[in-house]
Amino acid sequence: MVSREEALPGQSHPVPVAERHLVLDAPLAGPFPEGSETLYLAGGCFWGLERIMWKVPGVISTAVGYTGGYTPNPTYEQTCTGRTGHTESVQVVYDPQQVSAERLIATLFENHDPTTANRQGNDVGTQYRSAIYWTTDAQGEAARRTRDAFQQVLDDRNLGTITTELRPMSEAGPFYYAEDYHQQYLAKNPGGYCNHGPNGLTCPVGIVRQDELPAQTDVEPPR
């Protein structure tokens, strides 16, 4: 992991992004509805993870970007060097009356491998690390409970130890929006690269059963 002193300098201005979500027709960067909450999730390439999250009922808006590092307003190319300290992440804005933080976090665990530090498949580097960054204390508790529940599932099958980074956004730093062409990338490019999907395990957390909200089962964009 790059240190703050060794990190790339970055830019003074954020990159411009579209005003509306291409799929959900919601604000991409706010303002968001009163009562909504925001959670930041990472688990490899952000293209596939964003699509999984925008399909979850109760999610209002999603966006991809860079979180957890040091470089201000990094570009995609800079982040891919591993010298910004950021991970590719997804901003998930949701209605807590319709979907819980636990269910969103469980969906993350069910659709990537949280035991491979700084790697998802052939994507290798600290920018691909698994992470959960929360904005409320309740989300932090949900993250820890969900991690512990999923670790038990892994332990029962001798499948390794979760390496997912857990931190509040107050420690992880700002979320920097990625370039506009990355936003809802798999809706713009239906045949694009995606290495996410169900890992065959169910996270036993929350009041919603897995058969009520299945993990992603295909790579087709929403209709």
Side-chain angles (χ1 to χ4, degrees):
M1 184 71 173
V2 70
S3 68
R4 184 182 297 275
E5 293 71 27
E6 296 170 327
L8 296 174
Q11 285 67 236
S12 58
H13 300 290
V15 300
V17 294
E19 292 185 3
R20 307 291 294 182
H21 194 285
L22 182 64
V23 178
L24 300 176
D25 192 27
L28 201 67
F32 301 113
E34 184 177 354
S36 61
E37 296 185 1
T38 306
L39 183 64
Y40 297 87
L41 304 173
C45 177
F46 48 23
W47 296 341
L49 183 57
E50 185 191 19
R51 180 168 60 186
I52 288 170
M53 291 300 156
W54 82 51
K55 289 185 173 185
V56 176
V59 169
I60 296 168
S61 184
T62 61
V64 297
Y66 316 111
T67 319
Y70 308 112
T71 300
N73 303 302
T75 65
Y76 179 69
E77 288 74 19
Q78 288 177 324
T79 302
C80 284
T81 67
R83 296 179 59 206
T84 71
H86 295 295
T87 185
E88 293 190 15
S89 58
V90 179
Q91 174 181 269
V92 183
V93 182
Y94 64 99
D95 180 351
Q97 299 302 313
Q98 297 187 49
V99 64
S100 68
E102 286 176 317
R103 182 63 260 167
L104 294 170
I105 295 166
T107 300
L108 169 70
F109 281 134
E110 292 167 352
N111 283 276
H112 83 301
D113 185 349
T115 70
T116 52
N118 304 321
R119 178 172 190 162
Q120 286 299 305
N122 292 327
D123 295 333
V124 180
T126 56
Q127 68 271 27
Y128 298 115
R129 69 186 183 273
S130 177
I132 302 168
Y133 304 128
W134 56 84
T135 60
T136 71
D137 291 341
Q139 289 176 351
E141 287 300 315
R144 287 184 281 269
R145 286 195 304 268
T146 309
R147 181 221 25 216
D148 293 346
F150 199 65
Q151 184 62 64
Q152 186 60 58
V153 173
L154 296 174
D155 289 346
D156 291 345
R157 296 162 175 79
N158 297 313
L159 292 177
T161 301
I162 291 173
T163 64
T164 303
E165 177 185 350
L166 271 62
R167 281 201 287 169
M169 279 296 286
S170 59
E171 293 180 8
F175 171 80
Y176 297 104
Y177 286 87
E179 295 84 344
D180 190 62
Y181 74 92
H182 289 295
Q183 306 298 335
Q184 298 85 66
Y185 181 86
L186 292 176
K188 299 171 182 175
N189 303 274
Y193 171 77
C194 175
N195 68 345
H196 289 85
N199 54 27
L201 303 175
T202 299
C203 187
V205 169
I207 61 173
V208 181
R209 300 193 311 271
Q210 173 67 5
D211 61 352
E212 293 176 327
L213 183 60
Q216 180 174 331
T217 58
D218 56 57
V219 295
E220 291 298 318
R223 301 293 182 183

